[in-house]
Amino acid sequence: MRFDDISIESTRITFWGPRTALEVRNPLPGVLRLRHAPALSHSAPAHRELLPKQSWSVVEHAGLPLSLRREQEGAVAVVVAEGLSLEVTLATGAWRLRDGSGRELGRCESFSSEVMPDYPVTRFRSRLSLHTPRDEAWLGFGEKVGTLDKRGMHFTFWNTDVVPHHPDTDPLYQSIPFSIGLREGVAWGVFLDESWRMEADVAAEDPSILCWESAGPELDTYVIAGPMPADVVRRYTALTGRMPLPPLWSLGAQQSRWGYENAREIRSVLQGYRAHKIPLDVVYLDIDYMEGYKVWTWDRTRYPDPAGLAREAAAQGVRLVTIIDPGVKQEPGYRVYDEALANDYLVRNDRGSVLVGEVWPKPAVFPDFTREEVRAWWGQQHRTFLDVGISGFWNDMNEPACFKVINGDETFGVIGTRSVDKGRVEGPTLPHDARHGDKRHLEVHNVYALGMARGAYEGLRTIAPERRPFLLTRAGSPGIQRYSAVWTGDNSSYWAHLELSISMLLGLGLSGVSFVGSDVPGFLGRPTGEMLVRWTQAGVFYPLFRNHSAKGTPYKEPWRFGEPYLSIAREWFERRYRLMPTLYSLMHESSQEGLPALRPLVMYAPGDVEALRMDDAFFFGRDLLVAPVARQGRTHRHVYLPEGRWLPFFNLGQSGGEVIEGRQHVLAEAPLDTVPMWLRAGGALALTEPALHTTTANWAHLTWHIHAAPRVEARLYEDAGEGYGASRLTRLSGTWADGRFVLERTTEGALPPARETETLCVYALSEPREVLGAREHRFVDGVLLLEVEAGWTRLEVKL
Ligand code: GLC
């Protein structure tokens, strides 16, 4: 590979080789787009021209200026952007990325492509090989199994319906080819904006190479500067979009089961929750509500009056969410099928016939969500369900799953032509050569669910513009966070799956998807009461907190396990609702800055290898370190506390323990009712009172728990919890110096507070001599309790 020509424009610099190109752009500060085209004749019909390339994932950005300078007597060309530079060696095509201080972030050894011409699909093996020093950790990669650091693993990016899945199953349902390299405390990001089937070898084959491989002709790569992991995540989500703020109710407890037979059973679930005084906001209706698995229909024998059921649920503060599968039953006379066929909305096989397969509906056809008109039509389907009072939509089987392809091998291939790929299917899905307009399935398979979610989201925004959509999806690709929450599919009631859920959700969060959860207490299999409790304790911190189970397994609602499990589980549900002000503010932060609610310890200790290895504990936001127990029979657990000072805050209450210094391993007591947690010095947590369901995010009761330190910072976002009305953002900042602890509060936004007073619990101070600005104060067991006016602006504690 060599470059012999460079074209220079103000926002684009392109290196040209005989059959190669590398186009460099600077879409955002700290981000370079490196469009590698190693098989140029396939990317560009004309000489020295790269055709514009459609991105499914990246949101539009104006280009920032670039400049070029020559070094080493012209052998190296350096592209300079603000905060980043790229040194390209013209003789080899290799490049080196440096940050503003000149530090090398990453290095490309080579990129290349093998072309395998064939009918119907020409495949490529386009490769980008990045040098990776042995001490570089690799995080992210979306929804993947394994530890937080994925070094030594090999992944495939091909959305796949797998049931059951295991701790080493790959690929799963989501494909997000984004990763964060972390070395000596400095992070950088690599994002492959390719919808094609991809693989990543994370220094498994060669410990010094991270190799990305695409079945398409290009490697459209974004390299992203840190230096902190959070900076990379912010930039990656600026590129691919951030999650919208969800309705508050979707953060409440959710109950689901594949196998609730009818409306009567849904009512009994509602009654069960209320009779046992367990909070609940959502019940899901799985596939059995449909007539013969026909999407957008109701089985009237099972659900004679869906609107009445939705009203009954609403009267108890509960919303209904229906499952929506993309497979449309092929049945003339069924409206959805007739419309899709008449308008040519369906995926076709190579020969051009409508592609027929089998999913739950049998036979089934598949809307082509890669096309805008199909997405718009699909979006409008939600109207009738909104009209009966359905509040949210659960998009499943959208890899798309297809149990059997019926006419996938009908082809135009001339007899005698070599055609290895004819009708080839990988996993339970559609054939590689299936047609989506002018594209083939191999190219757009991974964005099928993104298109479906986008159609649903945009449809809901137009049908009910005053409401926030709630969507939950199984499959997805980069950008899915703009439309939908994600759950991790068909897990099992294994302790290993409980533990794995933590690193999986952390990986998703680092990959831009903050609103995530795993099925509690495992979809398949048979959990014990102990497992129900332990999984509920972890689930309380999942942004999406849903209990779900499979047909043929025991019922898994919290009261099915008897005592003491029910009472302990209830306490944890209540804690979920107490945490709501903090969780809601974290979701707001995700919508503004892209940072996930669940954050790995290493996010705030990027140079600390011990923190990197703690992938069974996490931060809930910035300040609360949570270490759930994910093993059977354990009454203690080991935790590594990173740098800082840590206040024991087990079970969301002070457990009486002393503040401890970080950078040490501790053994925490964790009997069945206990989750070890610590509050960071300088951090704060806003809690409210438990409730049976959510109502508003303008909290009537609020208690701040503040761990005093020389600098304190906290934020709280409040609004109605639904819609797009007035809001209020509160910021606390504190200083502690010369025997005075001062807290100041500022607010932005027009929403008036719903409370007259607030309580503050300040930890780590000594008994004060005087307190200014509070209505009342008490000092009990080392905690300063303050009762303040809701409109307070300044408090001063003299020590
Ligand atoms: C899939 C989903 C699961 C759902 C089932 C029936 O397996 O992952 O959550 O319950 O289909 O719809």
Side-chain angles (χ1 to χ4, degrees):
M1 178 122 341
R2 87 190 135 78
F3 296 128
D4 47 30
D5 192 12
I6 308 177
S7 46
I8 306 171
E9 293 153 81
S10 63
T11 60
R12 170 164 75 158
I13 293 178
T14 316
F15 296 83
W16 302 100
R19 271 176 296 278
T20 336
L22 169 62
E23 180 192 276
V24 184
R25 289 176 189 261
N26 181 202
L28 289 171
V31 180
L32 289 182
R33 177 183 177 191
L34 311 179
R35 190 174 160 194
H36 302 87
L40 192 54
S41 50
H42 293 269
S43 315
H47 181 62
R48 304 234 146 148
E49 184 201 349
L50 270 176
L51 292 182
K53 181 168 167 281
Q54 175 190 6
S55 174
W56 306 94
S57 300
V58 169
V59 292
E60 290 264 317
H61 297 285
L64 299 173
L66 290 169
S67 63
L68 190 82
R69 139 180 124 227
R70 302 285 192 141
E71 279 179 5
Q72 298 175 28
E73 291 164 5
V76 172
V78 187
V79 180
V80 184
E82 204 191 304
L84 280 178
S85 64
L86 188 83
E87 296 170 11
V88 181
T89 305
L90 300 179
T92 62
W95 54 253
R96 222 178 258 267
L97 178 73
R98 294 189 191 275
D99 68 13
S101 67
R103 182 192 164 100
E104 181 177 314
L105 295 176
R107 200 195 309 164
C108 166
E109 307 245 300
S110 65
F111 63 98
S112 61
S113 191
E114 273 170 59
V115 186
M116 290 161 279
D118 193 10
Y119 184 85
V121 190
T122 289
R123 284 168 155 273
F124 299 83
R125 190 175 291 149
S126 301
R127 285 192 174 148
L128 178 74
S129 295
L130 301 175
H131 171 76
T132 173
R134 282 169 195 253
D135 60 345
E136 188 167 34
W138 285 100
L139 317 176
F141 301 94
E143 181 192 62
K144 292 293 181 194
V145 295
T147 48
L148 195 62
D149 176 6
K150 308 292 193 220
R151 169 171 279 269
M153 298 182 208
H154 184 106
F155 297 123
T156 298
F157 296 86
W158 183 254
N159 291 357
T160 304
D161 172 20
V162 235
V163 53
H165 64 76
H166 298 289
D168 65 351
T169 305
D170 183 75
L172 291 170
Y173 316 90
Q174 299 260 334
S175 295
I176 307 184
F178 165 69
S179 58
I180 301 175
L182 185 61
R183 190 173 155 248
E184 292 175 355
V186 176
W188 69 298
V190 182
F191 166 45
L192 274 287
D193 186 22
E194 293 293 345
S195 58
W196 294 85
R197 184 193 187 284
M198 293 207 44
E199 292 186 33
D201 189 274
V202 193
E205 212 175 289
D206 174 341
S208 64
I209 298 288
L210 165 60
C211 181
W212 291 94
E213 183 180 308
S214 169
E218 293 194 12
L219 295 145
D220 194 355
T221 310
Y222 288 80
V223 288
I224 303 172
M228 293 290 280
D231 299 320
V232 179
V233 177
R234 270 190 212 101
R235 290 187 164 132
Y236 168 73
T237 52
L239 205 57
T240 57
R242 290 170 179 156
M243 68 173 282
L245 185 63
L248 177 68
W249 58 264
S250 65
L251 303 176
Q254 310 191 345
Q255 180 63 52
S256 179
R257 176 173 171 83
W258 175 25
Y260 289 146
E261 290 290 333
N262 49 36
R264 198 158 36 80
E265 218 179 352
I266 299 295
R267 276 190 203 103
S268 80
V269 172
L270 296 170
Q271 277 154 14
Y273 267 89
R274 293 305 175 236
H276 293 98
K277 299 205 167 21
I278 307 172
L280 181 72
D281 264 87
V282 182
V283 171
Y284 285 72
L285 307 187
D286 206 322
I287 47 175
D288 295 312
Y289 78 83
M290 291 179 257
E291 186 205 323
Y293 302 136
K294 280 184 274 180
V295 63
W296 306 117
T297 67
W298 290 92
D299 180 332
R300 295 286 170 177
T301 55
R302 293 165 185 260
Y303 291 86
D305 178 17
L309 183 66
R311 277 196 302 275
E312 273 173 60
Q316 302 182 54
V318 177
R319 317 274 173 151
L320 300 183
V321 172
T322 48
I323 198 168
I324 301 292
D325 289 352
V328 171
K329 179 139 187 195
Q330 187 189 38
E331 184 183 285
Y334 158 43
R335 181 190 59 82
V336 182
Y337 171 70
D338 288 347
E339 283 181 21
L341 187 67
N343 293 302
D344 183 23
Y345 287 163
L346 299 168
V347 177
R348 294 180 178 267
N349 64 20
D350 178 52
R351 190 168 178 85
S353 320
V354 168
L355 186 111
V356 184
E358 288 177 5
V359 207
W360 308 121
K362 197 174 145 178
V365 295
F366 300 86
D368 180 4
F369 296 117
T370 64
R371 287 185 278 146
E372 194 179 338
E373 67 276 19
V374 183
R375 293 195 293 267
W377 165 75
W378 189 256
Q380 287 305 315
Q381 306 304 313
H382 295 75
R383 188 183 293 273
T384 54
F385 274 46
L386 286 182
D387 287 347
V388 299
I390 298 304
S391 298
F393 299 89
W394 168 23
N395 289 341
D396 188 27
M397 308 299 273
N398 48 353
E399 292 72 24
C402 177
F403 302 151
K404 185 171 162 195
V405 179
I406 294 177
N407 62 350
D409 55 358
E410 284 180 10
T411 175
F412 275 133
V414 184
I415 296 172
T417 46
R418 188 174 147 263
S419 189
V420 281
D421 266 339
K422 182 167 89 85
R424 176 167 159 190
V425 186
E426 181 177 358
T429 189
L430 310 185
H432 282 172
D433 60 359
R435 291 176 186 271
H436 296 252
D438 60 355
K439 297 199 159 30
R440 298 293 186 152
H441 194 66
L442 184 66
E443 178 176 355
V444 294
H445 169 84
N446 284 340
V447 292
Y448 189 83
L450 184 71
M452 182 182 180
R454 179 170 175 187
Y457 186 84
E458 290 174 352
L460 291 168
R461 289 293 292 122
T462 53
I463 300 165
E466 71 292 350
R467 280 199 248 162
R468 301 179 200 162
F470 170 68
L471 296 171
L472 177 62
T473 182
R474 192 170 71 177
S477 49
I480 191 69
Q481 69 274 9
R482 300 199 295 264
Y483 311 116
S484 185
V486 168
W487 102 103
T488 58
D490 297 346
N491 61 358
S492 299
S493 298
Y494 306 147
W495 289 98
H497 266 175
L498 164 53
E499 188 167 318
L500 179 66
S501 74
I502 298 173
S503 55
M504 268 172 101
L505 300 181
L506 290 173
L508 272 165
L510 289 172
S511 310
V513 192
S514 177
F515 195 6
V516 290
S518 295
D519 286 342
V520 179
F523 173 68
L524 298 158
R526 180 181 286 270
T528 59
E530 181 191 358
M531 186 182 283
L532 179 269
V533 165
R534 290 307 198 186
W535 213 318
T536 299
Q537 290 170 340
V540 159
F541 298 93
Y542 298 167
L544 183 106
F545 176 39
R546 182 176 83 149
N547 178 303
H548 182 46
S549 58
K551 232 175 209 178
T553 69
Y555 281 77
K556 301 182 187 175
E557 298 81 4
W559 60 87
R560 308 279 183 183
F561 299 83
E563 292 295 355
Y565 310 109
L566 168 60
S567 296
I568 302 176
R570 183 191 298 113
E571 286 172 9
W572 283 94
F573 274 75
E574 288 171 353
R575 290 190 181 110
R576 166 74 174 202
Y577 282 73
R578 287 180 59 208
L579 268 174
M580 216 47 99
T582 297
L583 174 58
Y584 194 63
S585 297
L586 289 173
M587 292 286 100
H588 179 255
E589 196 179 343
S590 300
S591 74
Q592 300 299 302
E593 294 191 39
L595 295 185
L598 302 184
R599 304 174 190 175
L601 268 53
V602 72
M603 192 133 169
Y604 297 109
D608 185 341
V609 176
E610 302 286 332
L612 173 67
R613 302 293 166 221
M614 270 315 284
D615 41 23
D616 60 348
F618 53 85
F619 283 115
F620 185 71
R622 191 196 57 160
D623 297 330
L624 188 67
L625 194 160
V626 183
V629 174
R631 300 277 174 91
Q632 184 175 5
R634 294 284 166 94
T635 55
H636 290 77
R637 76 152 283 179
H638 153 252
V639 189
Y640 173 76
L641 299 175
E643 183 155 18
R645 288 169 61 76
W646 303 96
L647 173 82
F649 207 67
F650 293 22
N651 295 357
L652 293 184
Q654 207 209 7
S655 51
E658 294 283 300
V659 171
I660 42 178
E661 281 295 331
R663 278 191 173 274
Q664 65 165 312
H665 294 267
V666 298
L667 187 65
E669 270 185 49
L672 186 60
D673 64 357
T674 298
V675 176
M677 296 181 218
W678 288 265
L679 185 61
R680 177 197 295 282
L685 206 62
L687 302 180
T688 189
E689 303 280 302
L692 280 180
H693 57 84
T694 61
T695 47
T696 168
N698 191 5
W699 310 104
H701 299 277
L702 196 83
T703 303
W704 287 99
H705 294 264
I706 300 167
H707 184 175
R711 254 179 80 87
V712 172
E713 264 176 61
R715 60 196 282 295
L716 176 72
Y717 173 81
E718 292 170 273
D719 65 16
E722 172 60 289
Y724 301 89
S727 64
R728 184 172 66 249
L729 185 65
T730 302
R731 286 202 174 81
L732 296 195
S733 63
T735 51
W736 183 3
D738 306 328
R740 287 188 331 150
F741 180 66
V742 178
L743 264 183
E744 283 175 317
R745 172 180 158 281
T746 57
T747 59
E748 272 167 46
L751 181 77
R755 54 187 175 268
E756 275 165 20
T757 60
E758 283 176 9
T759 306
L760 274 67
C761 302
V762 189
Y763 304 90
L765 295 179
S766 55
E767 175 139 28
R769 284 190 291 116
E770 195 183 352
V771 176
L772 304 175
R775 270 193 184 180
E776 276 175 39
H777 75 267
R778 280 182 300 146
F779 190 77
V780 186
D781 296 334
V783 186
L784 177 63
L785 297 164
L786 305 169
E787 203 58 30
V788 296
E789 306 278 342
W792 68 280
T793 53
R794 188 173 188 281
L795 289 167
E796 184 173 337
V797 182
K798 294 186 179 165
L799 301 158

